[in-house]
Amino acid sequence: MFARHLASPGKPLRSATATVVAAFLLLWPNAAAGAARQAPTGGDSVATDAVNAYVYGYPLVLTQATRQLSTNVTRPNAVTGQAPVNQFVTQENVPGPSFKTVVSPNVDTLYSSAWLNLKREPVILHVPDTRGRYYLMPILSAWTDVIASPGKRTTGTAAGDFAITGPDWHGTLPTGVQRIKLPTDTAWIIGRTQLNGPSDLPAVHALSAKYTLTPLSAYGRPYTPPTGRVDPDLPTVSPPKRVAQMDAQTFFSHLASAMADNPSSPADAPMAATLRRLGIRPGKPFDIDAKGKTTAQALRQAVPEGQQRIQEAVAALGNDVNGWRVALDLGRYGTDYLRRAATAWQGLGANLPRDAVYPTVFKDSQGRQLNGAHRYTIHFPPGRIPPAHAFWSLTMYDQQGFLVPNPVNRYAIGHTTKPEPNSDTSVTIYVQHDPPAPDKRSNWLPAPAGPFNVMLRMYWPRQTVLNGTWSPPPVTTSARPSTSCPSGPARTS
């Protein structure tokens, strides 16, 4: 459930949450058709270079701001999702309707998050034997690319040790320890462990307590993590808001500083040359006036123009499939800097599609906003239920992106609440505000009285999802409106 910026197609919004973004972000899924695939272009003018530099640097600056706030504590705090560097923190409870910390909370897994500093030495990630339980431990670079994803899909569920190393480390690892080489000294682990309902919490907490991080120098010996250091002057505003409020001098200073330990890739050489022309050099103090008035003005103007370019690209990610927003190209970005920045703006920390895909729907098959004033069905024909090796679910969210109170305390269906198949093995989900007939209530996904959206989560999706031969069915409006709701759809803002 990592924090993300909820958006309906063509209308990106930023979360107003002032708590820690890393207090668990939900990888964003809802994007729109026709993605712009490359960083903005337009010749070699200084103005274009400056906007390109902002777009390029945005994910790294946001990552560093998130890391700073997420680790600014003395010990792990499961409520805020914060922990000192090189220490895990695991989500405390399953969210419900009262949970308002982040939008689109996840009720299918518990998150275990850790920020790593690999500059001094490698860190050993230990995972226990999960006895077949699904989990994944995606490890992201400071530029937001998923570098590796240990877990059931890739390494199985037996116990294992993984040495996460920085770009400049050279040495020998203990026998049996697998190396994962990061291109940056900052890394982020966003672990997820399958949760089979609230009653499963004790088992998942016991398991996640065995996820450990140990410096290589302490491997094989008893180790107690040190107390974290707190910077009392660090801004407590949410990282996306903090970055959005940075002026050009501040933003590009942060970028230059962050690049000292988190270098650009060899493929980024042309962009690195652009940064140098603008006076932005890794690890060097940045002076906006050093290259003259024209460059200084271009850099200042690049902040609002870069933000606008990124926001516009948010609505151009992914594809429209039967009314659902489906993105199958997140997690690794190459030199597609605009897609990388738009993904970070929408929700920092996206998974690889091979690990999880999150189609989201805001409209019915006729293009009308979903609303609890009407009844809907989602019908999966025989043999066409969501194809996932791990599990799938449909989760209901209100217009603000929060879980919906309802008389049966059901916020999702498919994983912990199994729908009943029809006689032909097809599955029909009833999406409506008022309860359906008694014989259909096992397949009821309760909706709010007003506007809403539904997210389909597929963990470890099968190849048919990834190659597009399977797609989610449209949300179909039933013949008559729900009698317990207003006669017409509520106005959306």
Side-chain angles (χ1 to χ4, degrees):
M1 101 210 120
F2 288 83
R4 79 194 235 304
H5 312 303
L6 183 66
S8 57
K11 190 176 182 180
L13 300 175
R14 305 207 70 169
S15 168
T17 304
T19 53
V20 185
V21 162
F24 296 129
L25 135 162
L26 194 241
L27 327 188
W28 99 258
N30 48 309
R37 298 298 179 192
Q38 298 297 330
T41 58
D44 57 356
S45 71
V46 174
T48 298
D49 282 351
V51 173
N52 286 350
Y54 189 92
V55 171
Y56 175 77
Y58 178 81
L60 179 60
V61 175
L62 179 59
T63 294
Q64 294 301 86
T66 304
R67 176 192 59 78
Q68 289 169 352
L69 187 55
S70 299
T71 59
N72 199 39
V73 289
T74 58
R75 60 182 58 86
N77 185 325
V79 175
T80 65
Q82 294 169 283
V85 171
N86 296 342
Q87 296 183 41
F88 270 120
V89 61
T90 295
Q91 182 183 347
E92 187 174 40
N93 291 310
V94 184
S98 63
F99 180 84
K100 307 293 185 183
T101 303
V102 297
V103 297
S104 299
N106 182 345
V107 297
D108 298 317
T109 67
L110 280 193
Y111 285 79
S112 298
S113 175
W115 287 91
L116 309 185
N117 183 342
L118 307 173
K119 188 174 181 63
R120 178 176 298 178
E121 63 176 314
V123 173
I124 308 298
L125 164 66
H126 172 77
V127 295
D129 186 344
T130 68
R131 300 184 182 278
R133 185 186 292 265
Y134 177 79
Y135 83 99
L136 69 160
M137 288 281 170
I139 304 168
L140 281 69
S141 75
W143 293 94
T144 73
D145 285 298
V146 177
I147 305 304
S149 188
K152 186 172 183 178
R153 177 181 70 84
T154 58
T155 57
T157 60
D161 291 331
F162 304 89
I164 306 170
T165 71
D168 299 322
W169 183 81
H170 301 281
T172 302
L173 294 172
T175 302
V177 176
Q178 301 179 52
R179 182 179 183 182
I180 297 174
K181 183 177 180 179
L182 268 287
T184 59
D185 281 325
T186 296
W188 188 17
I189 302 176
I190 317 173
R192 300 159 180 81
T193 305
Q194 178 179 342
L195 176 69
N196 301 317
S199 63
D200 196 31
L201 268 173
V204 176
H205 280 146
L207 181 64
S208 62
K210 298 177 182 177
Y211 297 144
T212 62
L213 295 166
T214 307
L216 176 60
S217 60
Y219 180 71
R221 299 186 285 108
Y223 173 72
T224 300
T227 301
R229 297 180 180 179
V230 173
D231 178 0
D233 298 323
L234 186 73
T236 57
V237 66
S238 70
K241 186 174 182 180
R242 179 186 173 196
V243 175
Q245 293 174 341
M246 290 180 179
D247 61 18
Q249 174 65 45
T250 304
F251 178 89
F252 290 112
S253 291
H254 279 265
L255 176 59
S257 175
M259 289 182 68
D261 294 329
N262 302 290
S264 56
S265 73
D268 295 340
M271 181 56 67
T274 295
L275 296 180
R276 288 194 297 271
R277 287 198 300 272
L278 297 170
I280 305 164
R281 296 176 177 273
K284 303 295 184 182
F286 172 73
D287 179 1
I288 197 169
D289 296 314
K291 295 293 183 176
K293 291 183 179 180
T294 299
T295 298
Q297 179 58 30
L299 289 166
R300 292 188 177 95
Q301 190 60 33
V303 173
E305 291 187 5
Q307 290 181 6
Q308 180 180 353
R309 192 76 60 87
I310 294 169
Q311 290 182 67
E312 290 171 350
V314 167
L317 289 162
N319 294 290
D320 187 324
V321 181
N322 292 333
W324 297 77
R325 312 313 311 168
V326 182
L328 297 174
D329 57 356
L330 305 181
R332 288 180 184 161
Y333 308 97
T335 58
D336 194 341
Y337 309 132
L338 186 56
R339 178 165 56 95
R340 182 177 70 184
T343 304
W345 180 284
Q346 181 76 347
L348 194 64
N351 268 321
L352 293 172
R354 294 192 298 275
D355 283 323
V357 174
Y358 304 90
T360 303
V361 64
F362 291 85
K363 298 180 179 180
D364 68 11
S365 58
Q366 302 301 312
R368 297 171 298 201
Q369 167 67 53
L370 298 175
N371 192 290
H374 298 275
R375 295 173 177 173
Y376 307 91
T377 59
I378 301 174
H379 181 74
F380 298 103
R384 300 289 290 178
I385 63 170
H389 291 283
F391 55 87
W392 64 273
S393 70
L394 289 161
T395 307
M396 171 65 65
Y397 299 105
D398 65 17
Q399 190 176 29
Q400 288 72 46
F402 301 125
L403 298 172
V404 176
N406 64 84
V408 294
N409 295 323
R410 182 181 297 168
Y411 314 115
I413 193 167
H415 172 45
T416 57
T417 300
K418 307 291 185 184
E420 292 291 331
N422 300 315
S423 59
D424 64 353
T425 72
S426 67
V427 172
T428 303
I429 306 298
Y430 300 93
V431 182
Q432 56 192 73
H433 178 62
D434 58 323
D439 64 337
K440 296 180 173 63
R441 290 185 185 177
S442 62
N443 290 23
W444 177 34
L445 182 59
F452 64 85
N453 69 87
V454 177
M455 183 181 295
L456 169 59
R457 288 180 170 88
M458 292 176 283
Y459 279 97
W460 191 1
R462 294 183 181 273
Q463 189 61 32
T464 52
V465 175
L466 302 178
N467 65 22
T469 57
W470 182 93
S471 56
V475 179
T476 304
T477 306
S478 299
R480 65 185 183 87
S482 169
T483 57
S484 64
C485 298
S487 58
R491 185 181 301 275
T492 58
S493 58

